[in-house]
Amino acid sequence: HADTDPPSAVYSQYFDGSTCTAQCAAWATFKAGLASSGYTSVHLYGDMDPVGYTCTDPTATQQIADMIRTTAATSISCGGHVWSQCDRYEGEFWMDPPSVCDLSNCPNPGWIVRPCIGYNCYYSGLNSDTCGAPNQTITIEFF
């Protein structure tokens, strides 16, 4: 990341075919730890997309943090992309969704983080299938 400061909030988990118990617990901790002010950028990336997406607009970055923290169904435009969250599964985080909470939940390739879906960890993926995704690490960092 271009920032020289360490991230102040990080979610980084390995997603595979097992149940997402640890990933969901880490998501709850991450959400609860997000501050209500002070972030200036956010970076979403992983094994399948090491460059990922970055938002460097402080206002939009804080709105993204707030939507994740509160599990609000909303979309925020930043960095030429739409950062979106659906209010199901304790937060279903999308990049460039067809619409907020669209029922077409399996884009391929897609960018979806849904650690609390309850089925298994094949339902989260970045730059890959999102229902039957390959094993991968997904990271979200707020600075």
Side-chain angles (χ1 to χ4, degrees):
H1 192 274
D3 282 341
T4 56
D5 297 329
S8 57
V10 178
Y11 177 81
S12 188
Q13 292 290 308
Y14 183 70
F15 289 80
D16 61 15
S18 67
T19 57
C20 286
T21 305
Q23 295 83 347
C24 184
W27 184 249
T29 300
F30 171 69
K31 286 178 14 174
L34 286 171
S36 59
S37 65
Y39 298 120
T40 58
S41 69
V42 59
H43 186 199
L44 170 68
Y45 64 97
D47 293 341
M48 304 297 290
D49 185 5
V51 174
Y53 294 97
T54 301
C55 172
T56 57
D57 176 278
T59 300
T61 295
Q62 189 60 54
Q63 290 171 336
I64 293 165
D66 293 343
M67 102 180 149
I68 292 172
R69 183 173 42 80
T70 64
T71 314
T74 191
S75 293
I76 309 295
S77 292
C78 186
H81 297 279
V82 176
W83 304 66
S84 183
Q85 179 156 282
C86 184
D87 60 355
R88 62 180 162 231
Y89 311 127
E90 298 178 47
E92 182 179 80
F93 189 66
W94 288 57
M95 290 300 299
D96 296 323
S99 66
V100 176
C101 298
D102 188 282
L103 295 177
S104 300
N105 282 340
C106 296
N108 184 9
W111 285 258
I112 298 179
V113 183
R114 46 183 162 203
C116 300
I117 194 166
Y119 310 147
N120 66 45
C121 282
Y122 284 133
Y123 287 87
S124 290
L126 300 184
N127 195 31
S128 67
D129 193 346
T130 54
C131 292
N135 295 352
Q136 60 188 290
T137 297
I138 297 173
T139 302
I140 304 170
E141 298 176 329
F142 282 91
F143 295 86

